Amino acid sequence: MNKKLYIQTLGCAMNERDSEHIIAELEEKENYQITTNPQEADLILINTCSVREKPEKKLFSEIGQYAKIKKNDAKIGICGCTASHLGESILKRSKAVDFVLGARNVSKISQIIHQKRVAWVDIDYDDSSYIFSSKQNSILKGMINISIGCDKKCTYCIVPHTRGNEISIPTHLIINEAKRLANQGTKEILLLGQNVNNYGKRFSIPHRKINFTQLLYEISQIDGIQRIRFTSPHPLHMDDEFIEEFAHNPKLCKAIHMPLQSGSTKILQKMKRGYTKEWFLNRVEKMYSLIPHLSISTDIIVGFPTESEEDFLDTLDVLEKVQFDTLYSFIYSSRPHTEAAKWIENKEVGEIDEEEAKRRLILLKDKHRDILTQNNQKELNNIHSILFESYDEQNKLLEGRSDTNKLIRVKAGRNLVGEICKVKISEIKGAQLIGELM
Ligand code: 5AD
Ligand code: SF4
């Protein structure tokens, strides 16, 4: 009889990928089968995120909920960034937790489930063990880690503490994985790393010199891989060579995540982001001049310590100029082990009033909603290549994503899942785009 695994995944694409690894390991080596019902699970895992304080605070009440409804002998394990960050103290605080496994230790999942009340959270280990079995949600799309950890020291960010130093995965392992995916029918791959375009900076084994742009080129030479996406790049490392390759290589999807964080050069300096407002706008301008239909998404933090009204207006100015397609926005949340948290602790800087930060967040979101409406209106009659991912037989409705990552629905008499087809946008219903096959 199979044992049942319930897994809850919080946070970023990296965590989703780690969960894929965990599921595959437990299915292959330990005879587990996934369930969506925690009540029937033999093992309950929470793959946690610690980037902001709120989800971390919720963790212990969630553990309590699971402990109440779980089967008698079912185990509870805490994985991911909060596991790295809080380590053994999770075991001390909650008797219900059986083990704690850090974000950089997920490859040890099939060993730790046999241990009692342990925390494995060290961050020096052989990265080659990182490429191991994976369980894809869809055969059409696959994710590949190209680096782990982060070497930047953005002053608000806990990630370098939880995921450790940046190490690039050897190129041949990435290429082999991409070929394996292509052979099984995968059309689109998503390359993952905290800071993907710093690829090649450090390997744990002797390695030829290579950078991110060269890696993209090499992966794009693999037959069968038709689309390549990546997340997250850092605006600082977007040099001209990268932008040229990005613009001219047809396999590179024309959607990019450019985490702005703030539009104020003063705040960017305090955040230690390494670029200015002008650099960011210059990179965007260059990309738009080569790829007019490019879709750009971003992350913005409001209420970073010392952010004035003027600084915030700079952020709104960049929002207006770039017309981001997607915005992920957050109120600054002070995190342990970060430089900004130390400034606050030492009373070197004051925190921004919560109500004021909320006002800024609402304003930012409102402005972005207007931009989104305008961007959507411009889509009428545009032509996109769509990779179809699902077909609703009853309503004869295909659904897929454009290379600019927009969800598009198309009425069609036949199932074209797995095909990439040209589609003309014929209708816009609120945020939803509807197209016709060409
Ligand atoms: N407070 C608020 N937002 C944060 N992020 C990272 N750290 C913090 C923090 N301390 C946001 C950044 C990052 C995204 C993943 O989360 O915008 O790009
Ligand atoms: Fe955090 Fe900055 Fe590294 Fe991104 S680049 S993970 S924001 S430290």
Side-chain angles (χ1 to χ4, degrees), residues 12 15 18 48-51 56 80-87 101-105 120-124 148-150 157-165 194 335-338:
C12 63
N15 261 16
D18 288 345
T48 56
C49 170
S50 59
V51 158
E56 198 179 290
C81 284
T82 306
S84 304
H85 163 220
L86 297 180
L101 188 65
R104 209 144 153 168
N105 313 85
W120 292 350
V121 294
D122 67 282
I123 52 176
D124 350 285
I148 53 176
C150 180
C157 187
I158 194 175
V159 168
H161 172 76
T162 58
R163 288 195 178 258
N165 277 356
Q194 233 68 49
R335 307 303 293 124
H337 310 285
T338 61

Side-chain angles (χ1 to χ4, degrees), residues 51-52 156-158 257 259 261 299-301 328 330-335:
V51 158
R52 280 166 292 277
Y156 52 81
C157 187
I158 194 175
H257 189 61
Q261 311 302 359
D299 292 343
I300 291 176
I301 298 174
Y328 303 96
F330 317 99
I331 290 179
Y332 169 74
S333 158
S334 179
R335 307 303 293 124

